[in-house]
C-alpha cells in the first residue's frame, strides 16, 4: 500500500500535498469536504491496493468454500496479523529513532510529516482490518444461511 502512495508522486513532505484537486467542483471553501477529498486524492494508491487485496481475499475464500470446517475469519488471520505486525514494527522503529534524535536540529522538520503520515496510515490500516472482518463475518453468515436451506 505504501509503495503505491509513493508511486503516485507523494512524499513524506507536507509541502507536496496537492490540495488543488480537492477544490474541483466546489464553489466555496468547505473544510470537511476539502479535507476528505485531499485525503482521498493523496491516498488513492493505498486505497486501490486495499480494494485489490480485499477482492483477492474474498476470491480465495470462495475458492476454499469446499472446506466446511474452516471459517472465513481464520483464513483472514494471516493477512490481518501481517498488517498489524508490519505497521507496528514500522511505527516502533520510527518512534525510537525520533526519541533518540529528539535534540537534533532538523528532526522535527524532517520526521514530523512522517509521524503524521504514519498516524494516518495506522487509521487506514485499522479501517482495512474492520472491513476485512466485516466481509468475513458477512460471508460466514451467508454460508450459515446456505447450510440451513440445504
Amino acid at each position: 500500500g505504501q509503495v503505491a502512495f509513493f508511486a503516485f508522486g507523494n512524499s513524506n513532505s507536507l509541502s507536496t500535498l496537492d490540495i488543488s484537486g480537492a477544490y474541483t467542483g466546489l464553489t466555496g471553501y468547505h473544510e470537511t469536504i476539502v479535507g476528505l477529498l485531499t485525503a482521498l486524492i493523496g491516498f488513492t494508491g493505498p486505497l486501490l491496493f486495499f480494494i485489490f487485496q480485499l477482492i483477492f481475499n474474498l476470491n480465495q475464500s470462495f475458492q476454499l468454500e469446499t472446506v466446511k470446517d474452516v471459517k472465513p475469519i481464520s483464513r483472514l488471520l494471516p493477512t490481518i496479523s501481517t498488517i498489524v505486525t508490519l505497521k507496528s514494527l514500522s511505527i516502533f522503529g520510527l518512534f525510537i529513532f525520533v526519541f533518540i534524535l529528539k535534540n537534533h536540529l532538523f528532526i522535527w522538520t524532517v520526521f514530523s510529516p512522517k509521524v503524521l503520515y504514519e498516524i494516518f496510515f495506522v487509521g487506514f490500516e485499522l479501517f482495512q482490518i474492520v472491513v476485512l472482518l466485516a466481509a468475513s463475518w458477512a460471508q460466514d453468515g451467508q454460508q450459515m444461511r446456505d447450510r440451513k436451506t440445504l
Side-chain angles (χ1 to χ4, degrees):
Q2 286 187 348
V3 171
F5 175 78
F6 293 109
F8 277 40
N10 297 311
S11 73
N12 283 338
S13 175
L14 292 177
S15 64
T16 61
L17 281 176
D18 183 22
I19 61 170
S20 62
Y23 287 99
T24 304
L26 295 178
T27 58
Y29 177 70
H30 303 285
E31 185 175 330
T32 306
I33 296 172
V34 170
L36 288 174
L37 287 175
T38 301
L40 182 66
I41 290 167
F43 290 90
T44 300
L47 186 62
L48 287 174
F49 181 79
F50 167 67
I51 291 170
F52 293 143
Q53 179 186 17
L54 181 63
I55 291 170
F56 175 77
N57 284 336
L58 291 176
N59 283 338
Q60 290 295 322
S61 293
F62 287 132
Q63 289 175 1
L64 295 174
E65 196 171 290
T66 57
V67 181
K68 298 295 183 189
D69 296 336
V70 179
K71 294 188 179 269
I73 187 69
S74 63
R75 291 185 214 130
L76 290 178
L77 286 179
T79 302
I80 292 171
S81 63
T82 302
I83 290 171
V84 170
T85 303
L86 292 177
K87 187 51 63 181
S88 298
L89 288 174
S90 171
I91 288 177
F92 180 73
L94 175 67
F95 285 154
I96 291 295
F97 188 74
V98 168
F99 180 75
I100 291 171
L101 296 174
K102 66 183 173 193
N103 295 324
H104 191 275
L105 181 62
F106 296 112
I107 192 71
W108 295 113
T109 58
V110 173
F111 284 98
S112 64
K114 175 69 174 166
V115 170
L116 290 174
Y117 280 120
E118 285 298 325
I119 289 170
F120 189 85
F121 270 116
V122 165
F124 186 68
E125 300 289 337
L126 290 174
F127 171 74
Q128 287 180 353
I129 290 170
V130 167
V131 170
L132 285 172
L133 289 174
S136 173
W137 286 326
Q139 182 183 9
D140 191 31
Q142 181 64 37
Q143 286 178 355
M144 294 297 284
R145 285 189 294 276
D146 290 344
R147 286 183 196 156
K148 286 181 183 179
T149 58
L150 293 176

